[in-house]
Amino acid sequence: MTARSAESDEYPPCGASSALLAAFLRALATLCILISALPAHTAHSIVIGVLAHRPAHEVAQRWHPLAAYLQEELGKGITVRVIALPYDELEAALARQQIDFALTNPSHFIALRNRNPLSGALVTLVPRAQGSGALNSFGGVIIVHPQREDLRTLGDLVDVHIAAVGPFSLGGYQAQAARMVDSGLPLPAAGRLSFVGTPHDRVVDAVLGGHADAGFVRSGVIEGMIAEGRLSAGAVRVLAAETLPGYPHQLSTRLYPEWPLFAAPHVNPDTARRVAAALLLLDADSPVAQALDIHGFSAAADYEAVERLLRSLRLPPFDGAPQFTWHDVWQRYLPWLLAFALSLALLSAAGFRTALLKRRHEQTQRHLAATLNAIPDLLFEVDGDERFIGVHTADPGQLYAPAERFLGCTVAETLPAEVAAVARQAIQEARLRGRSQGHRYALSTANGLRHFELCVARKEGSASTSPSFVCIARDISEAHQTTEALRRERDLFSTGPVVVLNWAPDLSGRVLAVSSNVGAVLGYSAAELCAANVRYTDLIHPDDVIAVTQELQACMNAGPDHFEQSYRLRTGSGEYRWFHDATRISRNRDGAVDAIRGYLFDQTWLKTLELERDAQAAALAKSNAELEQFAYVASHDLRQPLRMITSYAQLLEQELGTTLSGDTRRMLDFVAEGATRMDEMLVSLLEYSRVGRSGAPLSDFPVREALEEAIRFLEPAIAESAAAVEISGEWPHLHACRNELVRLFQNLLGNAIKYRRAGEAPEVHIDASAHPQGWLFSVSDNGIGIEPAQRERLFRVFQRLHTRTEYEGNGIGLAISRKIVERHGGRIWIEAGPGGRGSRFLFILAPRANPTPN
Ligand code: ADP
């Protein structure tokens, strides 16, 4: 508290100059008092400081009789003085030991005691009560104008204008403010609170004058004013009145003790005790008490209530931040703390458990999600109305639309018609029987056309809900493809002409399994063939069975693991038909036969053709042989009469001799020449027909040797024509008729030399090389060449392009050459010679084991 605030509490405000003057005078008076009080703590002088709640000289004057009383009571030359000091100066004087005792209001006492090492109160002042005895306690009164019906309770004061004595006035503000705070109400707001100062009558005037809605005054003030005739009874109404039995004044608050008198710390305890005793002994009826207008002094009251009030209002000395120690907190809020701690513990436990449960729940969710995602199938759930209520797939490509699009829609609305029909049938079955499976459908998904197998299970609902259906669609596209491939393969066999048989891996002839086309091909049912008493070998033609059995046995013993043969089999109609059988034998790791499988193909038509062909070939061969025989016989036998013609023509010429005319002689020459020519032709024919009939043996020999032998025969012609013969290429060994190959080379090489260009030496090149059909040989020359159109016919008998006078010959050489080549499985033809000049004769030899017989 400052001096200025203390002054403003005690004195009503006036002009600035007068305030300055007043302050100056007050300071001067205080200085005088303090100077006079300097020896206060001497042994013979006691100074009593009294709070100057009114002008100091008035207060000092009022309490002067007390000083006189104490001086007399204490005796022994002790001087007692009373000085009146405002709040702060009283405290300052106390600190400077300028006063020994102090009489002040209770809240000021609490403030001083809090700031100074004071002892407790020695005595408590007992004022003289109006019309009664003594009162050593007082309280606060809240007054309102009696016509203010709106102001009835403490709560009504919150928003009204209040007049009070001052912030440090216990009866004129603090007691009422504490009552409001204790009632849970806020303190009156600063803007709605006017401190009008002492005397308390000012508050009453403010309320009655309408300057304030309510007023705070000390208890007894109203009764005093009424007694003094300054206020009529009922002029004000007391709000929140408290009735205390025996207490004579109206009250709105609890009671607080009256002013205490206490000793300064430096005062001798004995002196303090003697002062207290003197004061307690002051009689109410004594002239001193009368003069002081007090009842006397009582034993010191308890000022704890005042301290609590100051604390609750946060007034000095408790206006700073409260200094709570943990101990204070512990003591004051122990039950609350315990309850709080318990609640906190319970909350923590609940929170921990919730967090634990949440974590477990999240783990379970994650685990479930991971499990679901690991399932490759498409999962969905539909309700009783076939409406999608859940769709899950780890591969969105299994769907043709986002999963959310299905939710809430029915199967029929969402899926393509054929798929919906399958799904609805499956659901219907599950509705009736609990589950259904094996329903298949194909669907165009984001992954392309896929095949699914559907399994549906009924999921029972609760009492109030109908069952739903959990559906699992498994992508079986791969299995479907395999099945389809197998089916196609089976169809391939079952509809084809090849029957597959599985025989027992022994020689029992039992059929273990057979392809389903057996009926169409063999005329037996699979069951008939696989019957325990049926032996396959019994169906084979008696003429073929031994060969078949032997071949099979040979293979099973050590032979190859497959063989092929044709044999006759009795079909279901009783008819024997030819079948080609490709048999495959498989063995286990130990080499033992574990399966014999046969692939039967009806080749009766082929066999018939073969037989026909063989018959025709045989007939042809026979016809050829007869023809050749005829040619041989004819040419051989014709030579005899021809020789007769020639002989007799010669005899005629000799007999007639010179008698023959020139013409007759020429005619006889023509006869002889014709006969010779005919003989040559017959010799040629004989030669032609002898090819293949000579019985010359076949042998393996180097073909080049045949060529070289031919060259040796032709050496005179080669020499005469100065021919150049060149041989090149790769020459083989062949199994052939050596004489015939010599004759072949002799014919071609002889022609190459014979048909040379006039004046040009023949150049002959003979070559041999491998050919896909056998061995290719060529004889090229630089001769006269052959027109392409003429080439083919020259291989026929007696075909020539030139007269005998141009080139000697009878046209049989190339015919014989073709016959030799064809007997050795080959063919012969003519091309133009190298660079388009001359001729090139080419032939391929592919000799079989036996050249074709004539
Ligand atoms: P020949 O030689 O005895 O007349 P060939 O049968 O050997 O009988 O020949 C038939 C015909 O083919 C010959 O008359 C000839 O016109 C023709 N000829 C054969 N070889 C050759 C050749 N190297 N160059 C041209 N013409 C040929």
Side-chain angles (χ1 to χ4, degrees), residues 61 90 118 191 203 206 219 336 384 692 715 788 792:
Q61 197 175 354
L90 186 67
L118 300 179
V203 173
S219 59
W336 291 103
E715 260 170 7
E792 182 56 33

Side-chain angles (χ1 to χ4, degrees), residues 1-9 86-89 168:
M1 178 190 295
T2 63
R4 184 170 176 74
S5 66
E7 283 166 13
S8 65
D9 286 341
Y87 284 102
D88 50 352
E89 287 172 14
F168 302 105

Side-chain angles (χ1 to χ4, degrees), residues 128 366 485:
R128 191 177 292 278
R366 274 199 301 276

Side-chain angles (χ1 to χ4, degrees), residues 747-756 779 781 783-786 794-803 807-817 830 838-841:
N747 283 352
L748 298 178
L749 195 55
N751 282 348
I753 294 166
K754 182 164 62 173
Y755 296 103
R756 62 181 178 270
V779 179
D781 60 48
I784 59 173
I786 304 169
L794 295 180
F795 291 103
R796 290 185 222 141
V797 175
F798 302 136
Q799 294 297 317
R800 306 195 74 228
L801 295 177
H802 307 283
T803 61
Y807 292 97
E808 184 69 19
N810 51 24
I812 199 75
L814 290 183
I816 290 174
S817 297
I830 305 170
S839 309
R840 173 183 285 157
F841 285 77

Side-chain angles (χ1 to χ4, degrees), residues 326-406:
W326 284 113
H327 182 72
D328 296 338
V329 174
W330 183 252
Q331 282 222 320
R332 187 160 177 182
Y333 298 110
L334 180 61
W336 291 103
L337 282 175
L338 287 176
F340 178 73
L342 190 65
S343 309
L344 201 65
L346 285 173
L347 267 175
S348 301
F352 180 72
R353 186 172 158 69
T354 307
L356 202 68
L357 285 175
K358 190 177 168 208
R359 202 166 143 222
R360 275 194 200 146
H361 178 69
E362 284 170 357
Q363 274 178 347
T364 309
Q365 291 285 94
R366 274 199 301 276
H367 181 73
L368 205 61
T371 306
L372 272 177
N373 280 334
I375 296 175
D377 301 334
L378 170 64
L379 306 174
F380 56 91
E381 188 173 350
V382 295
D383 63 11
D385 299 330
E386 298 178 354
R387 213 170 275 282
F388 285 96
I389 55 177
V391 177
H392 173 83
T393 174
D395 173 15
Q398 287 184 323
L399 298 169
Y400 56 86
E404 307 76 52
R405 284 260 304 275
F406 293 83

Side-chain angles (χ1 to χ4, degrees), residues 487-528:
R487 191 181 58 75
R488 279 196 296 273
E489 207 167 284
R490 197 187 60 221
D491 288 353
L492 211 60
F493 279 106
S494 61
T495 58
V498 178
V499 175
V500 185
L501 288 148
N502 215 354
W503 288 295
D506 48 38
L507 293 171
S508 65
R510 280 226 31 226
V511 179
L512 301 179
V514 66
S515 58
S516 57
N517 58 342
V518 65
V521 180
L522 291 183
Y524 297 107
S525 70
E528 282 173 327

